[in-house]
Amino acid sequence: MVNRKALVVFSGGQDSTTCLAWALQEFQEVQVVTFNYNQRHAAEIEVAKAIAARFGVKQHILDLALLNQLAPNALTRDDIEITAGEGEELPSTFVDGRNLLFLSFAAILAKQLGYSNIITGVCQTDFSGYPDCRDVFVKSLNVTLNLSMDVEFVIHTPLMWLDKKQTWKLADELGQFDYIREQTLTCYNGIIGSGCGTCPACLLRQRGLEQYEAECQEEGLSCGAK
């Protein structure tokens, strides 16, 4: 019998909220897991709580403060400047081992819940060069998790091959365009909705939004009306 229960790795941002909406359409039972690693903005946890409540899903908040100690970066330290990577250099917002740990702990929790599906919003198409957002990493870890716990987990990555314009389109098709635009937190400076407008995350999100709105206009459609 196919397991129709899914656990979403959930931060309260645009991508993970889109994944949550997608999961609720695709699976019979859905819960979310949020990780507190003493990230730069505590607002991220509060936003994730509010969104989980709005969608009526049970949320698990796990303490991963150790990650903050091990991987100092712009998302865990106020004194480190937020910068985009240049050349082969990774952005200052890259957290070593974050998705490795998030997905590993999510799998441990999923096993206890009796869930075999894990959903994450990582994306290789429109991303900042993070190595742990690549498809090859996810597939490799999926095999490792299955072997480590003798469970047939399936890690789903519905955004892997979508650019930000296509991610906005998916949110619209799921009937969540306006909510995700106004209530999610993607901004590295902790500003909900449209964000600061200047950090790399906001620039990527806004560029995709503008491209999608332009596409809707060309087709004579109104975004959020699908």
Side-chain angles (χ1 to χ4, degrees), residues 5-22:
K5 301 176 181 180
L7 181 66
V8 181
V9 177
F10 187 66
S11 69
Q14 175 194 0
D15 293 343
S16 65
T17 305
T18 302
C19 285
L20 173 56
W22 177 84

Side-chain angles (χ1 to χ4, degrees), residues 34-187:
T34 301
F35 295 97
N36 184 350
Y37 56 100
N38 291 337
Q39 48 265 63
R40 186 168 181 151
H41 301 290
E44 182 177 303
I45 302 295
E46 296 308 311
V47 168
K49 286 181 181 178
I51 296 173
R54 188 260 189 183
F55 281 94
V57 296
K58 183 174 181 179
Q59 180 185 36
H60 305 266
I61 300 177
L62 301 186
D63 181 5
L64 276 186
L66 179 62
L67 185 56
N68 184 288
Q69 294 176 252
L70 290 172
N73 61 86
L75 292 190
T76 60
R77 301 287 190 277
D78 291 332
D79 58 347
I80 297 179
E81 185 181 357
I82 296 172
T83 59
E86 296 183 5
E88 295 184 1
E89 183 180 296
L90 287 169
S92 65
T93 50
F94 175 63
V95 184
D96 284 313
R98 181 170 59 173
N99 285 335
L100 171 65
L101 291 176
F102 283 6
L103 289 167
S104 297
F105 279 96
I108 295 169
L109 175 60
K111 182 178 180 181
Q112 312 314 308
L113 296 173
Y115 288 17
S116 63
N117 298 286
I118 301 165
I119 299 167
T120 177
V122 298
C123 169
Q124 189 173 321
T125 305
D126 241 356
F127 76 139
S128 302
Y130 296 171
D132 60 357
C133 287
R134 294 176 299 174
D135 186 58
V136 65
F137 160 73
V138 175
K139 284 183 167 59
S140 172
L141 182 59
N142 201 154
V143 173
T144 299
L145 291 174
N146 291 2
L147 292 172
S148 70
M149 285 181 271
D150 198 23
V151 174
E152 291 299 316
F153 293 116
V154 179
I155 301 179
H156 301 267
T157 54
L159 309 184
M160 181 60 76
W161 306 115
L162 304 184
D163 59 24
K164 272 292 182 285
K165 181 187 76 172
Q166 293 167 321
T167 300
W168 281 113
K169 182 178 182 179
L170 177 59
D172 203 354
E173 291 170 347
L174 293 166
Q176 301 298 333
F177 177 82
D178 290 331
Y179 183 82
I180 289 174
R181 183 179 59 183
E182 296 166 5
Q183 300 300 327
T184 59
L185 174 55
T186 302
C187 177

Side-chain angles (χ1 to χ4, degrees), residues 168-226:
W168 281 113
K169 182 178 182 179
L170 177 59
D172 203 354
E173 291 170 347
L174 293 166
Q176 301 298 333
F177 177 82
D178 290 331
Y179 183 82
I180 289 174
R181 183 179 59 183
E182 296 166 5
Q183 300 300 327
T184 59
L185 174 55
T186 302
C187 177
Y188 289 150
N189 288 308
I191 301 173
I192 297 171
S194 298
C196 68
T198 59
C199 75
C202 284
L203 292 174
L204 184 61
R205 170 177 165 139
Q206 185 61 29
R207 183 168 68 246
L209 177 59
E210 290 172 357
Q211 290 172 345
Y212 179 57
E213 288 178 328
E215 181 180 282
C216 288
Q217 188 173 14
E218 288 177 6
E219 296 176 359
L221 301 173
S222 175
C223 295
K226 290 190 176 181

